[in-house]
Amino acid sequence: MRFTVALSAALLAVGLAAGPAAADTPSPSASASADGSAPTRAGTSFRTATELQQGQSATASGSTGDYLYWSFPADVGQRPTVRATVKLPRTHGAQTWQLDVYDGLRRRQACQYGADPRPVAQDASQVELACVLRTVRGWAEPWSDDPLPGTYYVRLTVVDLGAADLGQPVSAEVRVDSKDIGGASAVDGSLGKPLVPGIAVKSAADQGGSKAAVLSSFGRNDGWSSGWWSDRWVWTGIGAVLAALAGIGGYALTRGSGRPSRVPPGV
């Protein structure tokens, strides 16, 4: 009976501890920008990439042969997915389009899922591309190319087309979403600063009074959620409690139902 009461109390304590931790898990940012409008243009280089929030769609017009750039923030425990749709001219030849994602150090990130350069048949009306990145980590070895928290860049361009199709007008739509993986991918370590280069970390005063870049304010109150805490600690605690309860239960089952009887000496 006492073992059952102890088990119930321990499970209740574990549930209360797991509840606040789950609530503190970071979620993707809001879909609306500061003024409620979605970006309608794209940059032409890393330095001029148009800022895009997760859950937000951006559109842009350009020409075949242009490089179109967007940037978005990604934090620890998130698995970003970038999708792009390019609407092509009414008549065109065979083409090949490519979607690349780079981190804050401009290292190209491999897609965990998604197509490589996507060939387009002649006179196709549009082409769809996608790239599911690996889960963003809080820390990595200096020599690795693991995705780390900070700014990520999206580059969309055509990599193979006929000379007659060069410069034809196209329109593109890009959207970034992410899945919160949480402690399943947590590591023991944290990045000192997120990989947010250049103007994205400058204050409004440094930018001549203009509004601060959205990438510098993404995440929790301190800006980013990188740190030692993750929900992995909750599940580690649950495992320790269950192991302790299993030990107590095993002892209760094997010690017997009562004390051994004493045999008087000389009998």
Side-chain angles (χ1 to χ4, degrees):
M1 177 66 179
R2 281 181 291 180
F3 172 71
T4 304
V5 173
L7 176 61
S8 301
L11 292 178
L12 177 61
V14 169
L16 293 176
D24 290 341
T25 302
S27 59
S29 59
S31 60
S33 59
D35 58 358
S37 59
T40 57
R41 62 181 181 85
T44 56
S45 67
F46 287 102
R47 295 179 60 87
T48 62
T50 298
E51 293 175 352
L52 176 66
Q53 288 287 13
Q54 292 186 21
Q56 188 179 34
S57 297
T59 58
S61 298
S63 304
T64 51
D66 291 344
Y67 285 92
L68 304 178
Y69 287 84
W70 294 268
S71 62
F72 68 93
D75 210 348
V76 175
Q78 294 182 342
R79 180 183 293 168
T81 298
V82 183
R83 293 183 175 88
T85 301
V86 182
K87 295 184 179 179
L88 303 171
R90 182 171 301 177
T91 58
H92 61 81
Q95 303 177 3
T96 301
W97 285 79
Q98 183 167 322
L99 179 69
D100 296 312
V101 181
Y102 298 83
D103 65 8
L105 299 179
R106 300 183 185 179
R107 302 176 302 181
R108 185 178 182 275
Q109 293 293 312
C111 298
Q112 187 175 15
Y113 306 105
D116 288 330
R118 179 66 62 88
V120 183
Q122 185 176 1
D123 295 335
S125 60
Q126 65 180 30
V127 56
E128 297 181 355
L129 304 99
C131 176
V132 180
L133 296 176
R134 295 169 295 169
T135 305
V136 178
R137 297 161 53 91
W139 179 86
E141 294 289 348
W143 47 261
S144 72
D145 61 350
D146 291 331
L148 294 171
T151 302
Y152 283 78
Y153 295 94
V154 179
R155 186 177 73 180
L156 178 65
T157 189
V158 61
V159 295
D160 184 22
L161 79 166
D165 293 328
L166 188 63
Q168 291 195 32
V170 294
S171 60
E173 180 179 357
V174 172
R175 182 179 177 89
V176 179
D177 296 290
S178 70
K179 180 180 180 181
D180 195 350
I181 304 301
S185 61
V187 295
D188 294 328
S190 62
L191 191 66
K193 295 289 183 180
L195 302 181
V196 182
I199 195 171
V201 296
K202 293 183 179 179
S203 64
D206 296 333
Q207 300 179 46
S210 61
K211 65 178 182 180
V214 295
L215 298 182
S216 62
S217 59
F218 176 79
R220 297 186 177 179
N221 295 332
D222 59 352
W224 297 82
S225 64
S226 303
W228 64 271
W229 173 256
S230 73
D231 56 5
R232 185 179 63 167
W233 290 99
V234 176
W235 296 109
T236 301
I238 292 175
V241 171
L242 293 179
L245 293 176
I248 295 174
Y251 173 75
L253 292 174
T254 57
R255 69 175 181 173
S257 59
R259 297 180 179 179
S261 60
R262 294 179 176 271
V263 179
V267 175

